[in-house]
Amino acid sequence: MKRQEVGRVAVRAHIVLLSSRGRSASEIARIHDVTGPMVYKWFDRFDEEGPSGLYDRDQDGRPKKITEEVEAEIERLLEGDPTDEGDNATRWTTDRVAEHLDQELGANVHPETVRDALDRLEYSWTRPRRELPPTDPEAYRKRLAAIVEAVAEADEETSVLVEDETILGTVSSPSAHVATCWGTAGRMGA
């Protein structure tokens, strides 16, 4: 077993083998960097069950949060539109699905658990890409002309605030950021 098995089972087999060769439990614990009680546990399991006692046992663990009912609800949601459920969104995200499951079924699950369920249900998922819709050049020209006209009609007492979204990168201080992104001006000429 020590030569054929890997990982924990091989270590457990080696613990028993070292004991059969006369090594003490404290020596074996030091060799494998485990506690003395752990060494005795594997001695006892080997004595009671033989080599099969060195394998991991099935553990019940915590009950699944994603039951068949929850999986059915996830599939139902994905077939529909979030607006059908009263959500103000155009697509489902794992966060939205998790929130819906909590509100509607009382299934308090993490978005990562939803991702795991999607994998199990053989759905592929991607993070939504947020893109601006294509701009109609004529509509853009009209909006720009309206802005230019409004600024041209402003009197000298009017402050015009402008935000330039093309400036990217880091800014050394908040005041520098305000000065960079926002400007005030009186009458602006065309």
Side-chain angles (χ1 to χ4, degrees), residues 38-57:
M38 182 64 68
V39 170
Y40 284 110
K41 172 186 175 178
W42 296 114
F43 289 168
D44 293 342
R45 287 264 297 265
F46 184 79
D47 289 342
E48 292 170 13
E49 301 173 33
S52 63
L54 301 179
Y55 289 93
D56 290 334
R57 292 182 175 160

Side-chain angles (χ1 to χ4, degrees), residues 104-125:
E104 298 300 318
L105 301 178
N108 184 10
V109 295
H110 191 273
E112 187 65 37
T113 306
V114 173
R115 285 185 199 101
D116 293 342
L118 292 174
D119 288 340
R120 215 173 26 260
L121 294 169
E122 297 182 357
Y123 280 91
S124 62
W125 62 273

Side-chain angles (χ1 to χ4, degrees), residues 126-143:
T126 59
R127 297 188 192 283
R129 293 188 189 346
R130 291 169 177 83
E131 297 177 3
L132 294 174
T135 304
D136 174 21
E138 183 58 26
Y140 176 76
R141 190 192 61 69
K142 286 181 182 178
R143 282 195 315 273

Side-chain angles (χ1 to χ4, degrees), residues 146-159:
I147 292 170
V148 169
E149 184 180 331
V151 170
E153 291 176 0
D155 62 21
E156 291 187 21
E157 298 296 315
T158 302
S159 293

Side-chain angles (χ1 to χ4, degrees), residues 24-184:
S24 70
S26 59
E27 281 182 287
I28 296 169
R30 197 172 40 259
I31 290 169
H32 284 289
D33 195 25
V34 296
T35 63
M38 182 64 68
V39 170
Y40 284 110
K41 172 186 175 178
W42 296 114
F43 289 168
D44 293 342
R45 287 264 297 265
F46 184 79
D47 289 342
E48 292 170 13
E49 301 173 33
S52 63
L54 301 179
Y55 289 93
D56 290 334
R57 292 182 175 160
D58 291 334
Q59 297 180 357
D60 292 336
R62 190 169 40 171
K64 286 184 170 185
K65 287 188 172 187
I66 302 284
T67 62
E68 288 181 17
E69 175 191 13
V70 173
E71 283 184 353
E73 179 68 4
I74 290 172
E75 288 186 292
R76 187 188 73 74
L77 289 174
L78 296 178
E79 296 299 322
D81 191 298
T83 56
D84 297 341
E85 302 297 324
D87 210 334
N88 186 20
T90 58
R91 63 182 74 182
W92 286 108
T93 63
T94 54
D95 287 339
R96 280 194 193 99
V97 171
E99 184 178 324
H100 174 85
L101 294 173
D102 187 33
Q103 291 173 352
E104 298 300 318
L105 301 178
N108 184 10
V109 295
H110 191 273
E112 187 65 37
T113 306
V114 173
R115 285 185 199 101
D116 293 342
L118 292 174
D119 288 340
R120 215 173 26 260
L121 294 169
E122 297 182 357
Y123 280 91
S124 62
W125 62 273
T126 59
R127 297 188 192 283
R129 293 188 189 346
R130 291 169 177 83
E131 297 177 3
L132 294 174
T135 304
D136 174 21
E138 183 58 26
Y140 176 76
R141 190 192 61 69
K142 286 181 182 178
R143 282 195 315 273
L144 193 57
I147 292 170
V148 169
E149 184 180 331
V151 170
E153 291 176 0
D155 62 21
E156 291 187 21
E157 298 296 315
T158 302
S159 293
V160 176
L161 301 175
V162 178
E163 181 178 10
D164 182 355
E165 295 175 352
T166 62
I167 299 172
L168 301 174
T170 58
V171 178
S172 58
S173 72
S175 59
H177 180 65
V178 170
T180 303
C181 292
W182 294 96
T184 57

